[in-house]
Amino acid sequence: MTRVVMKFGGSLLASRYGIRRVGDIVERTRKVGDEFVVVVSALGDVTDVLLQAANDAKGWSKDEILEAIEDLRRVHLSALEQSSLRKDGKAEVLRGIEADLDKLRETLLGISILKELSPRSRDLVVSFGERMSAPIVSAEIRSRGMGSSSLTGGEAGITTDDAFGEAVPIHRATTRSVRRGLTPMLERGEVPVVAGFIARSKGGEITTLGRGGSDYTATLLASSLDADEVWIWTDVDGILTADPRVVKSPATVPQLSYAEAEELAFFGAKNMHPLALGPARTAGLPVRIKNGFRPELPGTLITKEQTKSRGVVKVVAVVRNVGLLTVAGETLQGRPGIAAKVFSALASDRVNVLMISQSVSEANISMIVRRASLKLAEKALRRELKSQGILVEGDPEVSVVAAVGAGMRGEKGVAAKIFGAIASRGINVRMIAQGSSELNVSFVVNERDADGAVRALHNHVVNHVPGSRE
Ligand code: ADP
Ligand code: ASP
Ligand code: MG
């Protein structure tokens, strides 16, 4: 008997006959006695649409709200139409979707009347994506003769604090409630279908785990249930050596360690939640990333093994939507207290610093923050440092490029190779950082140079075999 948590991504679910394809995968891979838990994302870009609606609803008229609801109805109806459900099965799921759309309409109307959107109501609005996709998938699985019911993340037991938008799971409470909630269903031979990304706070309110959160839901459920494996079904062959939208025909990476995959999640390769691999690593659970359009391919296997690939670098990733913050001035030199001031000012405004580097001369400190918090960060630093003759500058048009792979550990000349490849394209490097793990070298370039930098690294470094000549 194998207990597997399978997560299906939004791109796969919303593809042509996507729901049917998910049904096929579950039916074909589940052997007698196996226990499967299915986790689903919202269909396609529904989460983006809901987020936009939540933000815009403050200024919307009733008609604009009805139009948004109608668009969402169309997306879900079309997926349902392409499922293998019969007419009465479709009608039943449709009733549930209509009820959810009614609730969503009421919520958006509330926002438009009050002209106010709290983080709590934003989470409520975005939760509707997964709340509507889960019942469709569950009905598809039932239509194939397996028992199944759908649950929200909260009903399945995912319990968090109340940091809306990026809620933090409370592990003990989650383990306890997930076991209590899902074990009886598994024992009855059913396939629970859990709405990913959404959870419940201890006070019973709907929270979300942050973008890409359904991968996180899958690993949380798997570790709570002592599952044997997690399978993440997506629309590409696995983790690829680079973003396929930037590099033509990248290769599939057969194996990655948790540490490497965590770096990649952080650097944005496959839009995975940066914390999603944590529960799998702690529990030693293998995670497979597989292509739902080509299930026969092996995909990428993530385990604790740290293998050195033939090439020095396994994957080149890029983080967009970031900003560069530079603090400069002679008064920085030999004044250790300033760095502390910089970071405490940012921390007090809850600005998360993604990368830091300081020049040897100590004349400046450079930092990378999310683009959305760049203005706030600049303001906080100016407030703190203005009286000390220190210059604060923000540049929103940058990207971080990262070369990731355990092969870099102890390998001489990797940095030379990387920066040689970048320089040969005439690309200017604005800032460099190497994590102490030696699993990545990351650097900052102007946004317009990011794709060129990724291609240069992919051509000259990923395919580089140590000791070989090009
Ligand atoms: P899903 O809808 O399955 O959750 P995501 O949008 O989270 O899928 O991520 C899959 C997409 O990530 C792929 O379609 C691909 O375009 C993109 N991507 C970017 N970089 C990589 C990479 N290195 N490996 C795999 N996919 C990547
Ligand atoms: N639907 C959510 C998002 O788009 C969660 C996920 O798909 O993983 O971020
Ligand atoms: Mg995703």
Side-chain angles (χ1 to χ4, degrees):
M1 182 205 81
T2 316
R3 186 175 274 187
V4 184
V5 176
M6 288 203 165
K7 177 255 172 177
F8 294 93
S11 39
L12 189 58
L13 291 168
S15 64
R16 203 163 153 72
Y17 296 112
I19 302 290
R20 216 176 263 247
R21 185 168 285 117
V22 167
D24 285 345
I25 291 173
V26 172
E27 193 175 355
R28 286 180 195 158
T29 47
R30 187 169 178 257
K31 313 249 167 13
V32 178
D34 281 354
E35 292 179 341
F36 276 20
V37 175
V38 167
V39 176
V40 293
S41 288
L43 301 180
D45 64 354
V46 163
T47 305
D48 293 318
V49 171
L50 288 167
L51 259 181
Q52 193 69 46
N55 290 332
D56 293 350
K58 281 176 283 183
W60 271 354
S61 65
K62 192 172 173 199
D63 283 347
E64 284 169 303
I65 290 171
L66 294 180
E67 213 175 291
I69 296 287
E70 196 44 48
D71 288 345
L72 287 165
R73 175 182 288 114
R74 222 173 294 129
V75 172
H76 290 86
L77 265 182
S78 152
L80 191 57
E81 269 315 310
Q82 293 171 46
S83 71
S84 43
L85 293 184
R86 287 169 200 267
K87 215 168 155 198
D88 48 345
K90 281 182 185 155
E92 190 193 327
V93 177
L94 188 58
R95 277 196 293 279
I97 291 175
E98 293 293 357
D100 279 333
L101 289 171
D102 283 348
K103 278 185 236 154
L104 175 61
R105 192 192 57 228
E106 292 304 314
T107 311
L108 291 175
L109 276 172
I111 295 169
S112 86
I113 291 165
L114 295 171
K115 303 209 179 308
E116 196 176 78
L117 175 69
S118 65
R120 172 177 310 175
S121 28
R122 183 186 288 119
D123 267 7
L124 177 61
V125 170
V126 296
S127 76
F128 280 96
E130 273 76 2
R131 277 159 70 171
M132 290 193 281
S133 64
I136 306 180
V137 172
S138 181
E140 171 72 38
I141 292 174
R142 277 200 304 279
S143 80
R144 292 161 185 261
M146 292 171 268
S148 176
S149 12
S150 66
L151 301 92
T152 64
E155 286 164 350
I158 310 280
T159 313
T160 66
D161 64 7
D162 58 5
F164 296 100
E166 209 128 330
V168 180
I170 302 168
H171 287 273
R172 257 176 190 223
T174 297
T175 304
R176 208 177 328 117
S177 333
V178 168
R179 285 190 184 158
R180 204 170 38 220
L182 297 189
T183 316
M185 296 171 86
L186 292 173
E187 283 169 353
R188 287 198 298 273
E190 288 182 15
V191 179
V193 177
V194 179
F197 176 55
I198 55 179
R200 186 153 58 194
S201 72
K202 279 207 141 167
E205 300 203 67
I206 289 185
T207 55
T208 62
L209 300 173
R211 296 310 304 269
S214 16
D215 299 317
Y216 200 7
T217 305
T219 57
L220 285 166
L221 292 178
S223 74
S224 301
L225 291 167
D226 290 325
D228 298 294
E229 291 201 4
V230 178
W231 292 29
I232 294 182
W233 293 93
T234 184
D235 63 344
V236 287
D237 290 350
I239 301 284
L240 308 173
T241 48
D243 188 333
R245 293 162 296 191
V246 177
V247 167
K248 227 202 254 162
S249 329
T252 308
V253 182
Q255 193 270 342
L256 286 167
S257 67
Y258 296 118
E260 288 171 314
E262 276 174 331
E263 300 261 351
L264 284 171
F266 174 76
F267 284 111
K270 197 197 167 301
N271 311 316
M272 190 185 266
H273 192 291
L275 302 179
L277 288 155
R281 177 170 37 79
T282 311
L285 266 170
V287 177
R288 281 177 205 282
I289 319 267
K290 283 176 72 78
N291 189 346
F293 297 103
R294 302 174 70 190
E296 69 286 358
L297 295 181
T300 300
L301 176 62
I302 303 170
T303 56
K304 69 175 192 312
E305 265 72 50
Q306 190 98 265
T307 54
K308 204 158 166 167
S309 70
R310 242 163 52 90
V312 177
V313 172
K314 288 187 182 169
V315 180
V316 183
V318 55
V319 194
R320 301 175 206 270
N321 298 322
V322 290
L324 175 65
L325 200 58
T326 313
V327 179
E330 279 168 15
T331 38
L332 276 174
Q333 281 162 303
R335 299 260 308 272
I338 301 267
K341 265 200 178 143
V342 166
F343 296 114
S344 67
L346 293 175
S348 72
D349 280 27
R350 301 189 69 167
V351 174
N352 200 2
V353 178
L354 306 179
M355 260 170 88
I356 307 164
S357 116
Q358 181 167 28
S359 61
V360 182
S361 71
E362 295 183 6
N364 72 61
I365 304 175
S366 305
M367 287 156 285
I368 288 290
V369 298
R370 295 259 170 243
R371 197 170 291 164
S373 40
L374 183 64
K375 281 260 168 300
L376 181 67
E378 276 180 71
K379 226 160 94 191
L381 292 183
R382 290 209 175 102
R383 189 181 60 219
E384 193 66 32
L385 304 171
K386 120 179 126 209
S387 58
Q388 325 211 6
I390 291 171
L391 228 68
V392 178
E393 213 180 300
D395 181 349
E397 288 173 9
V398 297
S399 299
V400 178
V401 177
V404 176
M408 278 188 273
R409 198 191 293 270
E411 193 72 49
K412 291 191 187 64
V414 179
K417 190 93 189 151
I418 290 174
F419 294 110
I422 298 302
S424 71
R425 295 281 174 109
I427 294 173
N428 182 27
V429 174
R430 310 262 317 259
M431 169 182 169
I432 301 176
Q434 175 167 13
S436 54
S437 65
E438 284 190 47
L439 287 176
N440 86 73
V441 172
S442 44
F443 57 92
V444 177
V445 295
N446 289 331
E447 193 172 27
R448 62 172 182 279
D449 291 332
D451 288 357
V454 169
R455 285 187 207 111
L457 287 191
H458 193 259
N459 288 345
H460 295 284
V461 185
V462 174
N463 300 319
H464 164 70
V465 179
S468 74
R469 280 205 244 149
E470 273 185 55

